[in-house]
Amino acid sequence: MAKTIEIKLVKSLNGRLAKHKATAEALGLRTIGDVTVQPDNAATRGKIARIGYLLQVTEQA
């Protein structure tokens, strides 16, 4: 079974760079407290690296 990552938006997107807002939207995060489960791959890791300061990330089996 493929590994997954649970991603939660913990800080607001207000006043952030447009690219950072777009990255959050691509992950399916719109408001504080939104949670999404994404596959653990290079693309997802790159998105997390870009806006990691806004997120809480939990690795799952």
Side-chain angles (χ1 to χ4, degrees):
M1 186 169 174
K3 288 189 176 183
T4 58
I5 302 174
E6 183 178 276
I7 306 167
K8 180 176 182 179
L9 186 65
V10 295
K11 291 190 177 181
S12 174
L13 294 173
N14 288 343
R16 306 297 177 189
L17 295 172
K19 285 185 177 184
H20 291 198
K21 289 181 183 181
T23 303
E25 182 74 21
L27 287 169
L29 304 170
R30 292 192 173 119
T31 60
I32 296 174
D34 279 357
V35 177
T36 184
V37 176
Q38 299 288 327
D40 187 2
N41 58 32
T44 304
R45 290 288 181 172
K47 292 172 188 174
I48 291 170
R50 176 172 274 187
I51 61 167
Y53 66 99
L54 301 173
L55 307 173
Q56 178 182 8
V57 179
T58 307
E59 293 187 24
Q60 299 177 334

